[in-house]
Amino acid sequence: MSETQLDSAATDARQPDAETGEADEVSDYSEEADGFDAADASDEVAESAEDGAEPAEDDADSADSVHEEFMRELRMMPGDWYVVHSYAGYENRVKTNLESRIQSLNMEDYIFQIEVPVHQVTEIKGGKRQQVSEKVLPGYILVRMDLTDESWAVVRNTPGVTGFVGLSSRPSPLQLNEVAGLLAPEPEASAKQAEAARTVTPDFEVGESVTVMDGPFATLPATVIEINPDTQKLKVLVSIFGRETPVELSFDQVTKI
């Protein structure tokens, strides 16, 4: 594919963004993002791949099994994994734009997979726990590809992309263990772990003063009157309009004064 063909196809591929309905212009993005340092980015990727709590001893075998199986799958996949920098908050848009360009430019034989690494975190909203996805590396996406001049140009000229991590002309691929650290599925907690989490006695005492951190009574002082480790909840007295009112809250919704 010639450079003229690539430029022409890239112009045709500027379709309205799936999230905003507005078309991105390649010319709107500078060659390098402000303050972006490839060396710092490489360190950040490596640290994120290595971060994470060590698995409990009883579940180490299960976690190792999941990791090894994922590593076997990675070894069988064609291409290498590269880290591509984008503007924070635009990772999914860049993924959509790049997937569209791969099809319109017939680059499926060179660019195989695009991922935005995420992990599950627990948030408390409205007094209820819920699992939400959180980006592991804000401002970065992973691309599995065979690096050629043509495939490099397709990725580099995608709206929202500000560059590869590494040398601009010949970026370095990630090691497979780094990829696994970012993309491997998280092992499910064992029944023993779940039971332990339910039965952990919190560091609260009856009669202790606490502050409500979440829900309709946020910021109000309260007094602990009952502790239930099985349900991971407290019963506290909150002063509402001058009256002491009992309220049930989860452990995570209060903090010590």
Side-chain angles (χ1 to χ4, degrees), residues 73-205:
E73 294 177 3
L74 288 178
R75 293 187 188 100
M76 296 175 64
M77 293 177 177
D80 293 313
W81 289 90
Y82 296 88
V83 182
V84 175
H85 186 260
S86 70
Y87 291 107
Y90 290 80
E91 301 89 353
N92 290 323
R93 179 186 298 183
V94 170
K95 182 177 186 290
T96 300
N97 289 342
L98 181 51
E99 289 172 341
S100 176
R101 283 169 57 79
I102 290 169
Q103 293 182 357
S104 63
L105 297 172
N106 298 317
M107 293 297 291
E108 293 92 340
D109 292 337
Y110 298 92
I111 306 174
F112 312 109
Q113 187 176 352
I114 304 101
E115 296 290 345
V116 178
V118 297
H119 61 169
Q120 298 296 312
V121 297
T122 301
E123 289 187 354
I124 298 177
K125 291 185 178 180
K128 295 182 179 180
R129 292 170 177 258
Q130 60 183 25
Q131 293 287 317
V132 297
S133 294
E134 182 179 80
K135 294 182 179 67
V136 178
L137 292 171
Y140 300 93
I141 62 175
L142 303 185
V143 180
R144 180 167 59 87
M145 59 188 288
D146 284 332
L147 190 65
T148 65
D149 290 343
E150 290 80 7
S151 64
W152 180 91
V154 169
V155 175
R156 183 63 186 82
N157 292 323
T158 296
V161 169
T162 59
F164 281 81
V165 171
L167 298 175
S168 59
S169 59
R170 183 59 58 175
S172 301
L174 288 175
Q175 299 294 324
L176 289 185
N177 63 326
E178 295 175 319
V179 178
L182 294 168
L183 298 181
E186 298 175 4
E188 296 182 1
S190 67
K192 183 181 292 186
Q193 282 181 305
E195 181 65 23
R198 287 195 295 269
T199 59
V200 167
T201 301
D203 190 21
F204 294 111
E205 297 179 358

